[in-house]
Amino acid sequence: MSAHRVLLEVCVDTPSGLAAAIAGGADRVELCSALALQGLTPAPGLMAQAASAPIPVYPMIRPRHGDFCYDARDLDAMRRDIDAVRGYGLPGVTIGASQANGALDLKVLRKLVEQAEGLGTTLHRAFDVVPDMSEALEIAVELGFERVLTSGGALNALDATDRLAALVEQACGRISIMAGAGVRPGNIAELVRRTGVREAHGSFGGPVPGADPRSQLGAMGFVPPELRDTSQAAVAEAVKALRAL
């Protein structure tokens, strides 16, 4: 693999999504459940399937939706989930934890990183709510994270390209800045050019056929108005755009 190649991470939450990301040419997968809730810890069956993937797979360790402020019970669940990831032979985890004011929870993060010893680690978008990104980046470096997934604190990464570029400059190769949020095949090359990031992250979803939301399943709330899943074609288009840089 070229040292200058920009890596693409695709977040998925289904078996078919995992297959689509791999077939589309993703370099790494963030494995989740419930992407509609911004991603939760994946189920054991999905992690077991991911164990045979030909690319690295990093499960999200997030025990519930809502904030990233975790109590002792949450932390216990997260540590057990990290052990499960190791048990399935997966190479890394995606983790994060916040204090009530949005600052990184150093106490919890130290325990999670310690639990993940021997695994790769990505700091997730808890980073995007910190009051001081420069300080938080130094904490991430000190804790030994491989990368930070961030939109630069914006709803869409393209709205914070100056901040992302500043983070890349501050990181100075000590840690990778992976841009995510609103990343699509049509804007991924521009995002990389404007920020200098060497990793990008997205879901690259598309509509999939499913049960009619007007059916009994829909009436009972089991089927959303539009079902979406990872699109192999969208992943491949994003990969093509990156390889042309």
Side-chain angles (χ1 to χ4, degrees):
M1 183 183 300
S2 169
H4 301 291
R5 174 170 161 177
V6 180
L7 302 181
L8 180 68
E9 179 178 273
V10 178
C11 53
V12 309
D13 64 353
T14 65
S16 59
L18 175 63
I22 294 168
D27 296 292
R28 185 174 55 247
V29 162
E30 178 191 88
L31 195 70
C32 306
S33 66
L35 280 179
L37 300 176
Q38 303 302 312
L40 302 177
T41 304
L46 188 54
M47 286 198 280
Q49 288 186 347
S52 61
I55 59 175
V57 175
Y58 280 41
M60 169 69 75
I61 304 298
R62 186 179 174 213
R64 55 168 176 76
H65 70 283
D67 62 28
F68 307 119
C69 300
Y70 298 122
D71 62 20
R73 289 169 295 188
D74 294 324
L75 178 58
D76 179 65
M78 296 168 81
R79 293 172 78 169
R80 293 172 188 268
D81 286 335
I82 290 171
D83 287 344
V85 170
R86 183 181 288 105
Y88 285 113
L90 297 171
V93 291
T94 300
I95 55 179
S98 303
Q99 300 179 51
N101 67 352
L104 294 178
D105 189 329
L106 189 54
K107 182 178 178 180
V108 171
L109 285 174
R110 284 193 189 281
K111 291 179 179 178
L112 293 175
V113 169
E114 179 183 0
Q115 196 74 24
E117 183 178 3
L119 300 176
T121 51
T122 298
L123 176 60
H124 65 50
R125 291 186 61 207
F127 184 87
D128 281 326
V129 300
V130 300
D132 186 333
M133 286 193 168
S134 178
E135 177 186 56
L137 185 60
E138 294 305 318
I139 290 173
V141 171
E142 186 268 327
L143 288 172
F145 279 96
E146 293 176 301
R147 69 189 57 81
V148 173
L149 169 60
T150 176
S151 66
L155 291 176
N156 187 309
L158 272 174
D159 294 331
T161 53
D162 288 347
R163 183 172 291 171
L164 287 166
L167 289 170
V168 170
E169 183 177 2
Q170 180 185 344
C172 195
R174 297 175 297 159
I175 188 171
S176 179
I177 305 300
M178 179 165 61
V183 178
R184 297 179 175 83
N187 64 23
I188 193 168
E190 178 186 1
L191 177 65
V192 171
R193 283 193 295 264
R194 289 172 60 181
T195 62
V197 297
R198 308 308 299 169
E199 299 190 45
H201 168 103
S203 59
F204 306 102
V208 296
D212 189 333
R214 297 166 295 181
S215 69
Q216 183 66 12
L217 279 171
M220 295 297 289
F222 293 114
V223 180
E226 182 186 50
L227 287 172
R228 296 180 66 81
D229 204 350
T230 310
S231 164
Q232 179 181 333
V235 173
E237 187 179 349
V239 169
K240 182 179 179 181
L242 291 179
R243 300 300 175 259
L245 289 172

